[in-house]
């Protein structure tokens, strides 16, 4: 653990790392500094949006909490660790050679408030909210300043609220962003509405979008987002939403075209199997203790991967670990002891699979039955991929017939088929899988598509919804179902963070996908994987983290909100 700081240690390089190019002049300027006029320049200064909009926190360690607060109903919590001081920053436009006052209310041990490259203040121990305040004067050519809050290494969580930077905004930029175009509703429930729009442009850059419900600010998202979800709405109520873009200097665009939306009436969703079950893999990626994740997120189901073939037509975890007596059985027992359950995933992209190794549907059904009996399962998932199973008509039919057999022999068992997709719905092999499921009367409960690996730069929300809607249309065509019934047999299994093809499914996108799934009462929501549900911005595609900025288990927490 690092040495606890004293008053002389506040100029440590690490503490003030950030905008090295921003220099706040301490020496006298050629002209006397302008006096700041009282006006808070910060976005989301009291965190009342319920998000970190406008702020950036290191290590994904910042969050918004409802208690303890100083004013309003929200505050910032920075979970400083032994290796990260949970530094949260915001950059604003300022005027050169001008006096400003920075203040805020903080609570915790060794909490700092300051300006990167300039002055700061701190408190060693604040058991109740304490006000910190500093004044500074900008340099002769300075047009931006980065303010920061942070705790100290190993000193635990700090809290901050009602932060204020008083003074005139930067006056060099007077050009407002363009109006957000193509606003639309992308999903709704009885209490939420999800919206999207086309990004605005600005001569400097868009820093935020403000979403209004009528004339009231409903929520704010960062300038790189083109979507938002408004919560806390009333059932069966008509609303109208508009969006405005805002830049660093505080210039605001005109309002977008209004989006009229009527929330759902709150009636129960269609009956059927509903499952929020992210993948947990014990084969790599520092698998977390499932009870810890369950306690932190509220998740109840996990999709356990992968069961493959060992010595012919015998099921084993990763073709190596026995069904009973090992870490997999003890993990399933721990999940159930915590009030949850599992659905094993049989197959996957690679490895020695049961489908090709079991020579008949009856033999394959016997292998599935060993897995069902080992754990007393309520559901099984066959992840049918690659040319050895998915793109093989003989093996496709063998899997479908085997699932038909085990469903007949195990009343109440739910069967799931998971397979790849195009951005507009099932491929020709996916279409065949659905058609044969009908022709062979297999009574499959859920058809789940995996909408990722389309290629870098893909619109992951649009592509995912396009794939799901295409699947819905195919299910309607083959089975003669209406929309509601088709959605109730449909699942989505995504990939959190950075995918193999360099696509990015961020927290906001996954939230929108979850909201769309709830609004359409689909059957299943999963992602690959809980092992990767940890932050590592710029970390690439690795097995232990998502490659993006997020909080620990944030995708799992979002998924736990799927109710169908």
């Amino acid at each position: 653990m690092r040495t606890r700081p004293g008053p002389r240690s506040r100029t440590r390089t690490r503490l003030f790392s950030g905008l090295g190019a921003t220099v706040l002049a301490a020496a006298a300027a050629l002209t006397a500094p302008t006096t700041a006029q009282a006006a808070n320049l910060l976005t989301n200064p009291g965190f009342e949006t319920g998000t970190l909009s406008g702020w950036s926190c290191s290590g994904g360690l910042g969050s918004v909490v409802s208690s303890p607060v100083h004013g309003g109903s929200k505050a910032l919590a920075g979970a400083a660790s032994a290796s990260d001081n949970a530094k949260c920053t915001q950059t604003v436009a300022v005027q050169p050679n001008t006096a400003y006052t920075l203040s805020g209310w903080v609570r915790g041990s060794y909490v700092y408030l300051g300006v990167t490259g300039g002055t700061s203040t701190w408190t060693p121990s604040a058991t109740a909210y304490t006000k910190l305040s500093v004044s500074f004067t900008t340099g002769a050519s300075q047009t931006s300043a980065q303010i920061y809050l942070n705790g100290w290494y190993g000193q635990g969580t700090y809290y901050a609220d009602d932060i204020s930077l008083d003074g005139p905004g930067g006056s060099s930029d007077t050009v407002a962003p363009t109006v957000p175009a193509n606003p639309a509703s992308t999903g709704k429930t009885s209490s939420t509405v999800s919206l999207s729009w086309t990004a605005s442009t600005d001569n400097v850059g868009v820093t935020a979008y403000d979403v209004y419900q009528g004339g009231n600010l409903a929520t704010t998202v960062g300038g790189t987002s083109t979507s938002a979800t408004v919560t806390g709405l009333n059932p069966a109520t008509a609303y109208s939403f508009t969006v405005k873009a805002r830049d660093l200097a505080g210039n605001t665009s005109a309002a977008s075209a209004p989006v009229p939306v009527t929330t759902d009436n709150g009636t129960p969703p269609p009956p059927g199997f509903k499952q929020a079950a992210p993948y947990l893999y014990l084969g790599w990626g520092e698998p977390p203790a499932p009870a810890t994740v369950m306690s932190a997120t509220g998740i109840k189901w996990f999709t356990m991967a992968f069961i493959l073939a060992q010595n012919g037509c015998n099921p084993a975890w990763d073709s190596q670990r026995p069904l009973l007596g090992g870490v997999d059985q003890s993990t399933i027992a721990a999940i159930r002891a915590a009030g949850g359950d599992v659905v094993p995933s049989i197959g996957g992209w690679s490895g020695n699979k049961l489908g090709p190794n079991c020579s008949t549907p009856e033999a394959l059904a016997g292998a599935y039955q060993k897995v069902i009996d080992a754990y007393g399962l309520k559901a099984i998932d066959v992840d049918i991929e690659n040319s050895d199973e998915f793109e093989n008509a003989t093996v496709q039919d063998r899997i479908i017939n085997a699932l038909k057999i085990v469903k007949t022999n195990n009343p109440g068992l739910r069967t799931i088929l998971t397979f790849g997709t195009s951005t507009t719905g099932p491929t020709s092999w996916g279409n065949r899988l659905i058609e044969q499921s009908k022709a062979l009367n297999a009574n499959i409960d859920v058809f789940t598509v995996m909408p990722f690996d389309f290629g870098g730069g893909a619109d992951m929300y649009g592509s995912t919804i396009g794939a799901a809607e295409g699947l819905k249309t195919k299910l309607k065509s083959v089975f003669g179902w209406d929309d509601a019934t088709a959605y109730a047999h449909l699942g989505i299994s995504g990939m959190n963070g950075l995918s193999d093809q360099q696509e990015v499914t961020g927290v906001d996108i996954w939230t929108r996908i979850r909201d769309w799934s709830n609004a359409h009462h689909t059957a299943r929501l999963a992602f690959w994987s809980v092992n990767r549900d940890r932050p590592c911005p710029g970390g690439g595609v690795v097995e232990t983290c998502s490659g993006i900025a997020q909080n620990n288990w944030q995708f799992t927490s979002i998924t736990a909100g799927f109710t169908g």
Side-chain angles (χ1 to χ4, degrees):
M1 183 171 125
R2 288 171 174 77
T3 303
R4 184 173 296 179
R8 295 182 181 274
S9 69
R10 287 178 285 156
T11 57
R12 287 181 58 173
T13 301
R14 180 163 190 171
L15 182 62
F16 297 122
S17 62
L19 294 181
T22 300
V23 178
L24 299 177
L30 294 178
T31 59
T34 302
T35 300
Q37 299 174 0
N40 193 355
L41 303 183
L42 298 179
T43 297
N44 196 18
F47 307 95
E48 294 303 311
T49 64
T51 70
L52 291 173
S53 173
W55 299 87
S56 177
C57 298
S58 62
L61 297 175
S63 63
V64 177
V65 296
S66 300
S67 178
V69 300
H70 172 259
S73 61
K74 298 291 188 294
L76 168 71
S81 66
S83 59
D84 196 310
N85 62 4
K87 187 173 187 177
C88 296
T89 64
Q90 183 173 148
T91 302
V92 298
V94 294
Q95 295 184 13
N97 195 39
T98 301
Y100 290 86
T101 299
L102 173 64
S103 64
W105 294 84
V106 301
R107 175 173 171 168
S109 298
Y110 296 95
V111 190
Y112 291 77
L113 174 69
V115 185
T116 300
T119 188
S120 68
T121 185
W122 67 300
T123 177
S125 180
T127 57
Y129 271 104
T130 301
K131 187 175 184 179
L132 298 178
S133 182
V134 294
S135 297
F136 64 95
T137 300
T138 53
S141 60
Q142 185 177 343
T143 58
S144 68
Q146 183 187 65
I147 68 99
Y148 67 82
L149 290 149
N150 63 259
W152 197 253
Y153 307 99
Q155 296 303 307
T157 299
Y158 70 89
Y159 302 92
D161 200 359
D162 299 327
I163 315 303
S164 178
L165 179 62
D166 289 336
S171 59
S172 58
D173 176 18
T174 60
V175 179
T178 60
V179 177
N182 304 313
S185 172
T186 57
K188 60 177 181 173
T189 67
S190 60
S191 61
T192 67
V193 169
S194 296
L195 303 165
S196 69
W197 55 88
T198 301
S200 298
T201 59
D202 185 69
N203 63 318
V204 175
V206 175
T207 58
Y209 291 97
D210 296 321
V211 179
Y212 289 84
Q213 182 263 304
N216 299 317
L217 179 64
T219 190
T220 298
V221 296
T224 59
S225 298
T226 55
S227 64
T229 298
V230 180
T231 61
L233 304 175
N234 295 319
T237 302
Y239 292 94
S240 180
F241 300 94
T242 56
V243 184
K244 296 181 181 180
R246 182 155 40 87
D247 66 14
L248 186 64
N251 299 308
T252 303
S253 75
S256 70
V259 181
V261 184
T262 299
T263 51
D264 291 344
N265 61 14
T267 56
F273 182 56
K274 307 295 179 182
Q275 189 182 74
Y279 281 80
L280 177 64
Y281 185 43
L282 302 185
W284 56 232
E286 300 176 6
T292 299
V293 179
M294 294 169 72
S295 176
T297 66
I299 200 72
K300 294 298 184 184
W301 282 84
F302 292 95
T303 303
M304 295 275 290
F306 288 102
I307 288 180
L308 299 172
Q310 182 183 46
N311 300 324
C313 187
N314 297 305
W317 294 101
D318 283 342
S319 295
Q320 300 172 358
R321 304 187 302 278
L323 297 180
L324 299 177
V327 63
D328 304 275
Q329 184 186 19
S330 62
T331 298
I332 292 171
I335 292 169
R336 286 175 169 170
D341 211 340
V342 302
V343 51
S345 182
I346 302 171
W349 175 259
S350 60
N352 193 33
K353 303 169 194 173
L354 289 167
N357 278 279
C358 299
S359 58
T360 66
E362 291 75 16
L364 182 57
Y368 293 165
Q369 192 65 51
K370 290 180 182 178
V371 182
I372 295 166
D373 292 343
Y375 306 118
L377 297 175
K378 298 181 181 71
I380 61 170
D381 167 56
V382 177
D383 190 339
I384 179 170
E385 300 188 56
N386 219 324
S387 57
D388 56 347
E389 287 196 320
F390 186 53
E391 298 177 0
N392 184 315
T394 300
V395 177
Q396 267 202 14
D397 290 352
R398 186 180 300 157
I399 290 171
I400 294 167
N401 276 310
L403 288 173
K404 177 181 178 180
I405 292 170
V406 296
K407 187 150 191 182
T408 300
N409 293 337
N410 299 270
L413 180 76
R414 306 292 188 161
T415 53
I416 304 164
L417 280 172
T418 298
F419 50 98
T421 182
S422 75
T423 59
T424 57
T427 63
S428 60
W429 285 106
N431 286 331
R432 183 192 186 279
L433 185 71
I434 295 168
E435 291 161 1
Q436 287 298 98
S437 296
K438 167 66 173 177
L440 297 173
N441 196 29
N443 194 22
I444 301 299
D445 289 285
V446 183
F447 297 88
T448 299
V449 288
M450 296 183 288
F452 54 87
D453 284 351
F454 299 130
D459 170 9
M460 293 309 292
Y461 177 78
S463 296
T464 297
I465 302 310
E469 288 287 4
L471 173 59
K472 181 261 296 185
T473 299
K474 182 64 178 179
L475 294 176
K476 289 179 62 180
S477 172
V478 171
F479 292 98
W481 293 331
D482 60 16
D483 280 359
T485 305
Y487 284 128
H489 287 271
L490 178 155
I492 292 173
S493 182
M495 188 169 181
N496 58 310
L498 196 64
S499 78
D500 305 299
Q501 297 294 324
Q502 304 299 302
E503 304 148 332
V504 178
T505 300
V507 168
D508 59 335
I509 293 175
W510 190 242
T511 300
R512 292 173 62 198
I513 291 170
R514 188 273 316 273
D515 291 345
W516 181 92
S517 300
N518 278 337
H520 292 80
H521 306 309
T522 63
R524 175 171 157 86
L525 187 65
F527 69 87
W528 179 264
S529 62
V530 177
N531 306 58
R532 301 178 64 248
D533 195 9
R534 294 174 273 211
C536 59
V541 183
V542 292
E543 60 196 36
T544 56
C545 55
S546 64
I548 65 172
Q550 62 160 98
N551 295 330
N552 284 338
W553 325 129
Q554 193 167 7
F555 284 85
T556 304
S557 182
I558 294 166
T559 305
F562 170 71
T563 60

mmCIF file of all heavy atoms in Angstrom, residues 26-58:
data_model
loop_
_atom_site.group_PDB
_atom_site.id
_atom_site.type_symbol
_atom_site.label_atom_id
_atom_site.label_comp_id
_atom_site.label_asym_id
_atom_site.label_seq_id
_atom_site.Cartn_x
_atom_site.Cartn_y
_atom_site.Cartn_z
ATOM 1 N N ALA A 26 0.649 31.232 -13.166
ATOM 2 C CA ALA A 26 0.687 31.760 -11.802
ATOM 3 C C ALA A 26 1.397 33.118 -11.780
ATOM 4 O O ALA A 26 1.255 33.902 -10.833
ATOM 5 C CB ALA A 26 1.400 30.782 -10.884
ATOM 6 N N ALA A 27 2.195 33.347 -12.809
ATOM 7 C CA ALA A 27 2.905 34.629 -12.858
ATOM 8 C C ALA A 27 1.966 35.734 -13.308
ATOM 9 O O ALA A 27 0.913 35.493 -13.879
ATOM 10 C CB ALA A 27 4.070 34.515 -13.841
ATOM 11 N N ALA A 28 2.339 36.935 -13.044
ATOM 12 C CA ALA A 28 1.509 38.089 -13.436
ATOM 13 C C ALA A 28 1.446 38.187 -14.949
ATOM 14 O O ALA A 28 2.423 38.005 -15.641
ATOM 15 C CB ALA A 28 2.099 39.366 -12.868
ATOM 16 N N ALA A 29 0.266 38.438 -15.473
ATOM 17 C CA ALA A 29 0.083 38.615 -16.912
ATOM 18 C C ALA A 29 0.301 40.078 -17.270
ATOM 19 O O ALA A 29 0.433 40.940 -16.407
ATOM 20 C CB ALA A 29 -1.319 38.166 -17.321
ATOM 21 N N LEU A 30 0.337 40.348 -18.594
ATOM 22 C CA LEU A 30 0.566 41.716 -19.046
ATOM 23 C C LEU A 30 -0.579 42.626 -18.685
ATOM 24 O O LEU A 30 -0.415 43.829 -18.516
ATOM 25 C CB LEU A 30 0.791 41.715 -20.567
ATOM 26 C CG LEU A 30 2.076 40.993 -21.040
ATOM 27 C CD1 LEU A 30 2.151 41.022 -22.556
ATOM 28 C CD2 LEU A 30 3.306 41.641 -20.418
ATOM 29 N N THR A 31 -1.817 42.027 -18.601
ATOM 30 C CA THR A 31 -2.964 42.839 -18.207
ATOM 31 C C THR A 31 -3.575 42.240 -16.971
ATOM 32 O O THR A 31 -3.405 41.063 -16.684
ATOM 33 C CB THR A 31 -4.006 42.875 -19.338
ATOM 34 O OG1 THR A 31 -4.422 41.537 -19.612
ATOM 35 C CG2 THR A 31 -3.433 43.490 -20.601
ATOM 36 N N ALA A 32 -4.316 42.999 -16.241
ATOM 37 C CA ALA A 32 -4.929 42.518 -15.008
ATOM 38 C C ALA A 32 -5.999 41.495 -15.348
ATOM 39 O O ALA A 32 -6.697 41.620 -16.345
ATOM 40 C CB ALA A 32 -5.551 43.679 -14.243
ATOM 41 N N PRO A 33 -6.154 40.431 -14.516
ATOM 42 C CA PRO A 33 -7.143 39.394 -14.806
ATOM 43 C C PRO A 33 -8.562 39.919 -14.691
ATOM 44 O O PRO A 33 -8.861 40.774 -13.868
ATOM 45 C CB PRO A 33 -6.864 38.336 -13.734
ATOM 46 C CG PRO A 33 -6.209 39.091 -12.615
ATOM 47 C CD PRO A 33 -5.393 40.156 -13.279
ATOM 48 N N THR A 34 -9.419 39.354 -15.557
ATOM 49 C CA THR A 34 -10.841 39.661 -15.502
ATOM 50 C C THR A 34 -11.451 38.988 -14.280
ATOM 51 O O THR A 34 -11.049 37.897 -13.910
ATOM 52 C CB THR A 34 -11.527 39.137 -16.770
ATOM 53 O OG1 THR A 34 -10.912 39.741 -17.903
ATOM 54 C CG2 THR A 34 -13.020 39.441 -16.756
ATOM 55 N N THR A 35 -12.411 39.620 -13.664
ATOM 56 C CA THR A 35 -13.113 39.013 -12.536
ATOM 57 C C THR A 35 -14.204 38.101 -13.056
ATOM 58 O O THR A 35 -14.984 38.488 -13.930
ATOM 59 C CB THR A 35 -13.729 40.090 -11.636
ATOM 60 O OG1 THR A 35 -12.680 40.920 -11.149
ATOM 61 C CG2 THR A 35 -14.465 39.448 -10.451
ATOM 62 N N ALA A 36 -14.278 36.890 -12.517
ATOM 63 C CA ALA A 36 -15.283 35.928 -12.973
ATOM 64 C C ALA A 36 -16.671 36.333 -12.518
ATOM 65 O O ALA A 36 -16.863 36.764 -11.397
ATOM 66 C CB ALA A 36 -14.954 34.543 -12.434
ATOM 67 N N GLN A 37 -17.624 36.196 -13.412
ATOM 68 C CA GLN A 37 -19.025 36.398 -13.059
ATOM 69 C C GLN A 37 -19.612 35.044 -12.669
ATOM 70 O O GLN A 37 -19.308 34.035 -13.266
ATOM 71 C CB GLN A 37 -19.780 36.996 -14.241
ATOM 72 C CG GLN A 37 -19.240 38.356 -14.661
ATOM 73 C CD GLN A 37 -19.906 38.853 -15.914
ATOM 74 O OE1 GLN A 37 -20.769 38.188 -16.464
ATOM 75 N NE2 GLN A 37 -19.519 40.029 -16.354
ATOM 76 N N ALA A 38 -20.439 35.014 -11.650
ATOM 77 C CA ALA A 38 -20.944 33.757 -11.110
ATOM 78 C C ALA A 38 -21.784 33.018 -12.138
ATOM 79 O O ALA A 38 -22.827 33.499 -12.557
ATOM 80 C CB ALA A 38 -21.745 34.014 -9.854
ATOM 81 N N ALA A 39 -21.297 31.861 -12.572
ATOM 82 C CA ALA A 39 -22.035 30.989 -13.492
ATOM 83 C C ALA A 39 -21.340 29.643 -13.473
ATOM 84 O O ALA A 39 -20.161 29.556 -13.805
ATOM 85 C CB ALA A 39 -22.057 31.567 -14.899
ATOM 86 N N ASN A 40 -22.026 28.590 -13.064
ATOM 87 C CA ASN A 40 -21.402 27.271 -12.976
ATOM 88 C C ASN A 40 -21.197 26.707 -14.378
ATOM 89 O O ASN A 40 -22.140 26.500 -15.129
ATOM 90 C CB ASN A 40 -22.264 26.327 -12.143
ATOM 91 C CG ASN A 40 -21.518 25.057 -11.775
ATOM 92 O OD1 ASN A 40 -20.393 24.834 -12.214
ATOM 93 N ND2 ASN A 40 -22.145 24.237 -10.948
ATOM 94 N N LEU A 41 -19.945 26.454 -14.733
ATOM 95 C CA LEU A 41 -19.616 26.007 -16.076
ATOM 96 C C LEU A 41 -19.672 24.490 -16.233
ATOM 97 O O LEU A 41 -19.541 23.990 -17.348
ATOM 98 C CB LEU A 41 -18.210 26.483 -16.450
ATOM 99 C CG LEU A 41 -17.956 27.983 -16.371
ATOM 100 C CD1 LEU A 41 -16.551 28.295 -16.848
ATOM 101 C CD2 LEU A 41 -18.978 28.739 -17.205
ATOM 102 N N LEU A 42 -19.859 23.753 -15.139
ATOM 103 C CA LEU A 42 -19.758 22.299 -15.199
ATOM 104 C C LEU A 42 -21.047 21.648 -15.688
ATOM 105 O O LEU A 42 -22.148 22.105 -15.396
ATOM 106 C CB LEU A 42 -19.404 21.743 -13.821
ATOM 107 C CG LEU A 42 -18.059 22.185 -13.254
ATOM 108 C CD1 LEU A 42 -17.847 21.594 -11.872
ATOM 109 C CD2 LEU A 42 -16.914 21.775 -14.183
ATOM 110 N N THR A 43 -20.890 20.582 -16.419
ATOM 111 C CA THR A 43 -22.002 19.732 -16.813
ATOM 112 C C THR A 43 -22.290 18.736 -15.697
ATOM 113 O O THR A 43 -21.358 18.165 -15.125
ATOM 114 C CB THR A 43 -21.657 18.962 -18.108
ATOM 115 O OG1 THR A 43 -21.460 19.897 -19.168
ATOM 116 C CG2 THR A 43 -22.754 17.986 -18.484
ATOM 117 N N ASN A 44 -23.568 18.548 -15.391
ATOM 118 C CA ASN A 44 -23.955 17.545 -14.394
ATOM 119 C C ASN A 44 -23.207 17.751 -13.070
ATOM 120 O O ASN A 44 -22.618 16.810 -12.524
ATOM 121 C CB ASN A 44 -23.686 16.142 -14.956
ATOM 122 C CG ASN A 44 -24.388 15.037 -14.201
ATOM 123 O OD1 ASN A 44 -25.345 15.274 -13.464
ATOM 124 N ND2 ASN A 44 -23.911 13.817 -14.369
ATOM 125 N N PRO A 45 -23.210 18.963 -12.512
ATOM 126 C CA PRO A 45 -22.383 19.252 -11.334
ATOM 127 C C PRO A 45 -22.845 18.552 -10.068
ATOM 128 O O PRO A 45 -22.053 18.319 -9.163
ATOM 129 C CB PRO A 45 -22.506 20.763 -11.193
ATOM 130 C CG PRO A 45 -23.829 21.103 -11.805
ATOM 131 C CD PRO A 45 -23.983 20.141 -12.952
ATOM 132 N N GLY A 46 -24.138 18.216 -10.006
ATOM 133 C CA GLY A 46 -24.661 17.537 -8.825
ATOM 134 C C GLY A 46 -25.006 16.089 -9.081
ATOM 135 O O GLY A 46 -25.600 15.426 -8.231
ATOM 136 N N PHE A 47 -24.650 15.574 -10.284
ATOM 137 C CA PHE A 47 -24.858 14.176 -10.663
ATOM 138 C C PHE A 47 -26.336 13.779 -10.614
ATOM 139 O O PHE A 47 -26.681 12.612 -10.454
ATOM 140 C CB PHE A 47 -24.015 13.251 -9.773
ATOM 141 C CG PHE A 47 -22.567 13.638 -9.749
ATOM 142 C CD1 PHE A 47 -22.064 14.457 -8.743
ATOM 143 C CD2 PHE A 47 -21.715 13.238 -10.757
ATOM 144 C CE1 PHE A 47 -20.741 14.863 -8.740
ATOM 145 C CE2 PHE A 47 -20.378 13.626 -10.760
ATOM 146 C CZ PHE A 47 -19.892 14.444 -9.757
ATOM 147 N N GLU A 48 -27.212 14.779 -10.786
ATOM 148 C CA GLU A 48 -28.644 14.530 -10.672
ATOM 149 C C GLU A 48 -29.216 13.805 -11.885
ATOM 150 O O GLU A 48 -30.354 13.341 -11.850
ATOM 151 C CB GLU A 48 -29.404 15.848 -10.453
ATOM 152 C CG GLU A 48 -29.104 16.526 -9.130
ATOM 153 C CD GLU A 48 -29.389 15.619 -7.934
ATOM 154 O OE1 GLU A 48 -30.494 15.036 -7.887
ATOM 155 O OE2 GLU A 48 -28.507 15.477 -7.079
ATOM 156 N N THR A 49 -28.432 13.680 -12.956
ATOM 157 C CA THR A 49 -28.899 12.878 -14.091
ATOM 158 C C THR A 49 -28.914 11.392 -13.756
ATOM 159 O O THR A 49 -29.490 10.590 -14.479
ATOM 160 C CB THR A 49 -28.006 13.086 -15.329
ATOM 161 O OG1 THR A 49 -26.687 12.593 -15.033
ATOM 162 C CG2 THR A 49 -27.941 14.545 -15.721
ATOM 163 N N GLY A 50 -28.250 11.039 -12.644
ATOM 164 C CA GLY A 50 -28.128 9.626 -12.293
ATOM 165 C C GLY A 50 -27.047 8.913 -13.078
ATOM 166 O O GLY A 50 -26.906 7.690 -12.981
ATOM 167 N N THR A 51 -26.257 9.676 -13.850
ATOM 168 C CA THR A 51 -25.168 9.116 -14.639
ATOM 169 C C THR A 51 -23.909 9.946 -14.417
ATOM 170 O O THR A 51 -23.933 10.981 -13.758
ATOM 171 C CB THR A 51 -25.501 9.132 -16.141
ATOM 172 O OG1 THR A 51 -25.484 10.507 -16.616
ATOM 173 C CG2 THR A 51 -26.882 8.528 -16.404
ATOM 174 N N LEU A 52 -22.797 9.507 -15.027
ATOM 175 C CA LEU A 52 -21.543 10.257 -14.972
ATOM 176 C C LEU A 52 -21.410 11.176 -16.182
ATOM 177 O O LEU A 52 -20.293 11.572 -16.528
ATOM 178 C CB LEU A 52 -20.356 9.293 -14.917
ATOM 179 C CG LEU A 52 -20.209 8.500 -13.616
ATOM 180 C CD1 LEU A 52 -19.103 7.462 -13.753
ATOM 181 C CD2 LEU A 52 -19.928 9.428 -12.436
ATOM 182 N N SER A 53 -22.506 11.527 -16.803
ATOM 183 C CA SER A 53 -22.480 12.391 -17.976
ATOM 184 C C SER A 53 -21.631 13.631 -17.711
ATOM 185 O O SER A 53 -21.816 14.330 -16.730
ATOM 186 C CB SER A 53 -23.903 12.803 -18.346
ATOM 187 O OG SER A 53 -23.897 13.754 -19.374
ATOM 188 N N GLY A 54 -20.694 13.907 -18.625
ATOM 189 C CA GLY A 54 -19.809 15.057 -18.484
ATOM 190 C C GLY A 54 -18.527 14.742 -17.760
ATOM 191 O O GLY A 54 -17.553 15.493 -17.865
ATOM 192 N N TRP A 55 -18.482 13.632 -17.028
ATOM 193 C CA TRP A 55 -17.325 13.265 -16.219
ATOM 194 C C TRP A 55 -16.654 12.015 -16.778
ATOM 195 O O TRP A 55 -17.300 11.169 -17.378
ATOM 196 C CB TRP A 55 -17.742 13.008 -14.771
ATOM 197 C CG TRP A 55 -18.349 14.192 -14.095
ATOM 198 C CD1 TRP A 55 -19.651 14.575 -14.100
ATOM 199 C CD2 TRP A 55 -17.661 15.172 -13.312
ATOM 200 N NE1 TRP A 55 -19.829 15.722 -13.376
ATOM 201 C CE2 TRP A 55 -18.614 16.121 -12.871
ATOM 202 C CE3 TRP A 55 -16.336 15.344 -12.931
ATOM 203 C CZ2 TRP A 55 -18.283 17.219 -12.078
ATOM 204 C CZ3 TRP A 55 -15.992 16.428 -12.136
ATOM 205 C CH2 TRP A 55 -16.956 17.360 -11.722
ATOM 206 N N SER A 56 -15.362 11.905 -16.540
ATOM 207 C CA SER A 56 -14.609 10.712 -16.906
ATOM 208 C C SER A 56 -13.823 10.268 -15.687
ATOM 209 O O SER A 56 -13.080 11.062 -15.107
ATOM 210 C CB SER A 56 -13.661 11.013 -18.073
ATOM 211 O OG SER A 56 -12.876 9.884 -18.387
ATOM 212 N N CYS A 57 -13.989 9.011 -15.283
ATOM 213 C CA CYS A 57 -13.369 8.505 -14.059
ATOM 214 C C CYS A 57 -12.402 7.370 -14.395
ATOM 215 O O CYS A 57 -12.735 6.464 -15.160
ATOM 216 C CB CYS A 57 -14.419 8.020 -13.071
ATOM 217 S SG CYS A 57 -15.540 9.326 -12.508
ATOM 218 N N SER A 58 -11.231 7.392 -13.813
ATOM 219 C CA SER A 58 -10.203 6.400 -14.105
ATOM 220 C C SER A 58 -10.620 5.016 -13.624
ATOM 221 O O SER A 58 -11.288 4.861 -12.603
ATOM 222 C CB SER A 58 -8.883 6.806 -13.438
ATOM 223 O OG SER A 58 -9.012 6.849 -12.025
#
